[in-house]
Amino acid sequence: MGQIMTRLMAEKGVDIVGAIGRSANIGKDLGEVAGLGYPLNVLVEREEDRVLETRAADIAVVAVGSYMADMLPHFRRCLENGLNVITLAEEAVYPWKTAPSIAAELDRLAKAHGVTITASGGQDVFWVNLPTMLSGASHTIRSISGFVLWNINDFGPEVAKSAYVGWGKRDLEEHLKSHPLPPSFGKNAIQEVAADLGLTMTRVEEVNTLETADVDLECASLGVTVKSGDVIGRSELVTIETKEGIQLSMREGGRLYKDGESDVVEWTIDGYPALHLRCDRVPTQIMCCTQMVNRIPDVIASSPGYITVDQLPKLKFRAAALHHYLST
Amino acid sequence: MGQIMTRLMAEKGVDIVGAIGRSANIGKDLGEVAGLGYPLNVLVEREEDRVLETRAADIAVVAVGSYMADMLPHFRRCLENGLNVITLAEEAVYPWKTAPSIAAELDRLAKAHGVTITASGGQDVFWVNLPTMLSGASHTIRSISGFVLWNINDFGPEVAKSAYVGWGKRDLEEHLKSHPLPPSFGKNAIQEVAADLGLTMTRVEEVNTLETADVDLECASLGVTVKSGDVIGRSELVTIETKEGIQLSMREGGRLYKDGESDVVEWTIDGYPALHLRCDRVPTQIMCCTQMVNRIPDVIASSPGYITVDQLPKLKFRAAALHHYLST
C-alpha cells in the first residue's frame, strides 16, 4: 500500500520530504522502493523521531497497522511534531466505541497542536459515504445492510494467514476456542455510518463465518492449493441496533475466489423507498490508496482534532495537483 | 409529485402554511388532495401572489414545469417575497449553460432578498452526487458515463405523450424534422457533474434515439397497446468534452418496459482505477420527492443565491422531523 500511495502522491505533485520504513528498504531511495523508475531523492529511514523532527511537512501518511493500540505511538509522534495525519488504519475510521480513550487522547493532542488526524481508505467512499449518501433518498429506514467482499490473493501472505487460509475447518473451529479472532473492520465502518446519520447506537453483535469452497483453489500469496472444504477466508457480520429503531449491518470479508468472481461492495436500504446500490469489480487495493491520497487536502484544511470522514467534505476526484486544493 | 411531497413533508413535521394549485383542486384541503386521509387545514388556492404575500414561510416547494423559461415567473415571485425556493425543475439542476441569463437574474434576486434557490430531486444523489463521489476513488479519469432508465408508466399521460409513445417510428422521424425535440434533462445533470468536479466544459453533443420493442407493450398512462416496432419512448445521449481531456456522458430516457425490467441508474468511470456502480429497481418517482424533501434544511441553511447541489452538504437521511436540522 505504501508503494502504491507513493506513486499516486508523486503523480499528483506531492512534495515528499521524508520516508520512514522497516526492514530491507532502509537506506534506499523511496522512488526505487515504490518502483517508480525514477528517484524521489528521499531515502527511506529507520529513525521515526529524527525524520519527524527534522522535516517540515503538512501531513504524515501513516500506513503501519490496523488497530488503534498498535498505532497510538506512531500517531502520537506525528501529532506532537505538528503534523496532520492521514491513515489507512481500519479501526481509526471510527474509534470512538472500540478505542474511546485512545481516540480522546489523540483528539486532545491534535487540538493542542492545531492539526487533524483522519482515517480514509476504502472505507471512505465505499463503506461509509456511499450508503449514507444513498440514504439521502430515504424517507423512512428499517435497516441498512452492507456486503463487502475482497480477494485475499490481492494482498500479501500476512493477510492470508490472518484469515486462516488453508486450515481445515474443524481444526480451525477448535483452534478459535482458545485463540479468538481479532475485532472486525466492518464494525468501525458501520459505526461511522451510524455516526454520520446521527443515530444513537445501542447494541452491537458480531458473528464470524469461516468460508469454504467446493473446489480446490489456489492461494497465490501463500503459494499453496487449498483443498475443497478447507478454509478459504472468513467474513464477519456486524449488526448494530439504534435507539431510533434503525438496524445497521455489514457483512465484510476476504476469501479466495472461484473463476469469474470479483470484489463487491453492495448496500441495501430497507425502508420507504427500498434502495439498492452495487459496485462490482471493485479495485479494493488501489481504491484504498486513491481515496486516501485524494483526501489529503481535506485533512490539511480541516479544523483540528480527531476528524472522521463524515465531518469532511464529499470526497471527489482531484483533476489538478493536490496543492491546488489547499487554500493559501 | 406534489401529492407525494405533501405527504412526505407532513410526515416529517413540516408546517405547511399555503398551497398553490391549478384546475380541479382549487378550494380543497391539501390533505385531501394529497390523499392523506386527514386534513392539513390548508386550502389549495389559485392566487399565487396573494398566497406568497400573506404567508410567512421558510421555503417554497415549487413543482410546476421543467424548463427555466417557464419557471422564471414562479421562481421570481417566491424570491421577491423573501422565500427560499426548492424545485424539481430539471433544467434548474444546472442552468448556467442552457439558461445563463435567467440563472443570473435569479441569483441576483435571491442574494438581494437573502434567500436561496436550489433544484434537487432524482438528480441530486443519483445523477450528480453518486458519480462525483465515486470519482473520489479515481486517480486519473478518461471518461465518466451515466445510464439512467425510467418507466414511462410511472408517470402521467403528459410524459408518455412528450416521449411520443405509440407513434410509428417512420412517422415520428418525419414529424421530428419540423418539430425538434425539447432539450434533454441529462444535459443539465452532466453539466452539474462537470461543475462539481471543477472541469471546464468545451463541446456538448446531444444524440436522440427513438426506442422500440419487438413485442407489443401496454402504455398504462395513455391506456393503449403499443405495437411491436412502434415507439415506446426515447433516450438522449449527451456527451461533454472538457478542457482537462475528461469526457462526461449520460444516456437518459424513459420508455415502456418488458417483463422483468426496472429503473436503472448506472455510472462507469474509465480511468485508473476503473470504477462502476449500479442501482437496480430505482424507485424513480418516489426518490425524486424524498430527496427534495430531505434537501429542504440544507437550502434554508445555505448562503444566499442560486445554489446547485454540489455546493450543499452531502444529502442524507433525516431521522428526525425536518425542523431539527435547522439551526435556530
Side-chain angles (χ1 to χ4, degrees):
Chain A
M1 303 296 247
Q3 292 177 355
I4 297 170
M5 288 189 294
T6 297
R7 178 166 56 81
L8 299 178
M9 287 191 285
E11 290 174 4
K12 290 276 178 192
V14 174
D15 184 17
I16 301 174
V17 297
I20 300 159
R22 293 176 285 195
S23 72
N25 295 323
I26 306 295
K28 292 185 186 165
D29 184 274
L30 182 62
E32 179 197 343
V33 172
L36 300 188
Y38 56 88
L40 286 172
N41 300 316
V42 174
L43 297 185
V44 178
E45 299 175 61
R46 190 191 307 273
E47 302 295 331
E48 196 167 343
D49 281 328
R50 201 170 54 80
V51 173
L52 293 172
E53 285 163 15
T54 58
R55 308 306 146 77
D58 294 307
I59 194 163
V61 174
V62 185
V64 176
S66 296
Y67 295 103
M68 292 300 279
D70 303 329
M71 296 303 293
L72 176 60
H74 303 292
F75 292 154
R76 199 190 265 145
R77 275 196 194 97
C78 295
L79 298 174
E80 283 172 347
N81 281 286
L83 291 170
N84 295 292
V85 170
I86 189 163
T87 182
L88 284 179
E90 288 90 344
E91 190 180 11
V93 165
Y94 189 84
W96 294 102
K97 294 287 179 188
T98 58
S101 62
I102 296 177
E105 179 189 336
L106 292 170
D107 185 53
R108 279 194 304 273
L109 202 54
K111 284 173 177 156
H113 290 272
V115 290
T116 304
I117 172 168
T118 297
S120 179
Q123 289 90 332
D124 194 329
V125 166
F126 287 84
W127 298 21
V128 174
N129 278 303
L130 277 181
T132 58
M133 179 183 279
L134 186 66
S135 83
S138 294
H139 180 60
T140 59
I141 299 180
R142 279 184 293 271
S143 66
I144 302 180
S145 318
F147 172 65
V148 170
L149 176 66
W150 46 270
N151 187 348
I152 278 188
N153 273 331
D154 285 346
F155 298 86
E158 290 304 321
V159 171
K161 278 181 205 156
S162 75
Y164 299 98
V165 170
W167 280 61
K169 197 177 175 190
R170 290 255 177 97
D171 292 347
L172 182 52
E173 283 165 353
E174 194 57 37
H175 174 81
L176 291 177
K177 286 176 186 167
S178 51
H179 299 77
L181 288 166
S184 81
F185 301 147
K187 184 163 63 183
N188 301 92
I190 199 75
Q191 286 173 337
E192 166 69 345
V193 168
D196 193 10
L197 296 179
L199 303 176
T200 306
M201 301 170 231
T202 52
R203 210 168 54 84
V204 181
E205 190 184 78
E206 277 183 88
V207 179
N208 278 275
T209 304
L210 300 177
E211 305 280 345
T212 57
D214 52 7
V215 291
D216 293 359
L217 292 174
E218 297 297 319
C219 181
S221 60
L222 293 177
V224 300
T225 300
V226 180
K227 294 284 175 211
S228 164
D230 284 351
V231 173
I232 59 165
R234 60 190 178 91
S235 68
E236 288 135 340
L237 174 63
V238 180
T239 305
I240 292 180
E241 307 293 342
T242 66
K243 216 177 73 179
E244 293 79 6
I246 296 171
Q247 188 187 73
L248 306 176
S249 70
M250 186 165 178
R251 178 180 292 282
E252 184 268 324
R255 61 169 168 78
L256 303 178
Y257 286 171
K258 295 190 199 184
D259 282 349
E261 289 189 307
S262 74
D263 291 9
V264 174
V265 174
E266 186 169 23
W267 288 97
T268 304
I269 300 183
D270 178 26
Y272 181 80
L275 296 165
H276 177 254
L277 176 157
R278 184 177 168 100
C279 302
D280 283 298
R281 305 183 302 281
V282 177
T284 302
Q285 194 185 28
I286 304 299
M287 66 85 166
C288 287
C289 300
T290 53
Q291 287 174 73
M292 183 157 133
V293 171
N294 285 336
R295 254 313 174 208
I296 288 174
D298 294 333
V299 177
I300 295 173
S302 168
S303 58
Y306 200 111
I307 300 290
T308 48
V309 290
D310 62 294
Q311 299 170 280
L312 294 177
K314 182 179 70 176
L315 187 62
K316 54 191 180 185
F317 173 60
R318 312 285 186 181
L322 291 192
H323 58 82
H324 286 284
Y325 300 92
L326 298 174
S327 50
T328 48
Chain B
M1 304 295 249
Q3 293 176 356
I4 297 171
M5 287 190 295
T6 298
R7 177 165 56 80
L8 299 179
M9 286 191 287
E11 291 174 6
K12 290 275 176 192
V14 174
D15 183 18
I16 301 175
V17 297
I20 300 158
R22 293 175 287 192
S23 72
N25 295 322
I26 306 295
K28 293 184 185 164
D29 184 273
L30 181 63
E32 179 196 341
V33 172
L36 300 188
Y38 56 90
L40 286 172
N41 301 316
V42 174
L43 297 184
V44 178
E45 299 175 63
R46 191 192 305 273
E47 302 295 330
E48 196 167 342
D49 282 327
R50 199 171 55 79
V51 174
L52 293 173
E53 285 163 15
T54 59
R55 307 306 146 76
D58 294 307
I59 193 163
V61 174
V62 184
V64 177
S66 296
Y67 295 104
M68 293 299 280
D70 303 330
M71 297 303 293
L72 177 59
H74 303 292
F75 292 154
R76 201 189 265 144
R77 277 194 193 96
C78 295
L79 298 174
E80 284 172 349
N81 281 286
L83 290 169
N84 294 292
V85 170
I86 189 164
T87 182
L88 284 179
E90 289 90 342
E91 190 180 11
V93 166
Y94 188 83
W96 293 103
K97 294 285 179 188
T98 58
S101 62
I102 296 177
E105 179 189 335
L106 293 169
D107 185 54
R108 279 193 304 273
L109 202 55
K111 284 174 178 160
H113 290 271
V115 291
T116 304
I117 171 168
T118 297
S120 178
Q123 289 91 334
D124 194 330
V125 166
F126 287 85
W127 299 21
V128 174
N129 278 305
L130 278 182
T132 58
M133 179 183 280
L134 185 65
S135 83
S138 295
H139 180 60
T140 59
I141 299 181
R142 278 184 294 271
S143 67
I144 301 180
S145 318
F147 172 65
V148 169
L149 176 67
W150 46 271
N151 187 349
I152 278 187
N153 273 332
D154 285 345
F155 298 85
E158 290 304 322
V159 171
K161 278 181 203 157
S162 76
Y164 298 97
V165 170
W167 279 60
K169 197 178 176 192
R170 289 256 178 98
D171 293 347
L172 181 52
E173 283 165 352
E174 195 57 38
H175 174 81
L176 292 176
K177 287 177 185 167
S178 51
H179 300 76
L181 289 166
S184 81
F185 301 149
K187 185 163 61 183
N188 301 94
I190 198 76
Q191 286 172 337
E192 167 68 345
V193 168
D196 193 9
L197 296 180
L199 303 176
T200 306
M201 301 170 230
T202 53
R203 209 168 55 84
V204 182
E205 191 185 77
E206 277 182 87
V207 179
N208 277 275
T209 303
L210 300 176
E211 305 279 346
T212 57
D214 51 8
V215 292
D216 294 359
L217 292 174
E218 297 298 318
C219 181
S221 60
L222 293 177
V224 300
T225 300
V226 180
K227 295 283 173 209
S228 164
D230 284 351
V231 172
I232 58 166
R234 60 188 177 92
S235 68
E236 288 135 341
L237 174 63
V238 180
T239 305
I240 291 180
E241 306 293 341
T242 66
K243 217 177 73 181
E244 293 78 7
I246 296 171
Q247 187 187 75
L248 306 175
S249 70
M250 186 165 177
R251 177 180 293 282
E252 184 267 325
R255 60 168 168 80
L256 303 177
Y257 286 172
K258 296 190 197 184
D259 282 350
E261 289 189 306
S262 74
D263 291 8
V264 174
V265 174
E266 186 170 22
W267 288 97
T268 303
I269 300 183
D270 178 27
Y272 181 80
L275 296 165
H276 178 254
L277 176 158
R278 184 177 168 102
C279 302
D280 282 299
R281 306 183 300 281
V282 177
T284 302
Q285 195 184 30
I286 305 299
M287 67 85 168
C288 286
C289 300
T290 53
Q291 286 174 73
M292 186 158 130
V293 171
N294 285 337
R295 252 316 172 206
I296 289 174
D298 294 332
V299 177
I300 295 174
S302 168
S303 57
Y306 200 111
I307 300 291
T308 48
V309 289
D310 62 294
Q311 299 170 280
L312 294 176
K314 182 180 70 176
L315 187 62
K316 54 193 180 185
F317 173 60
R318 312 285 187 180
L322 291 192
H323 58 82
H324 286 284
Y325 300 92
L326 298 174
S327 49
T328 48

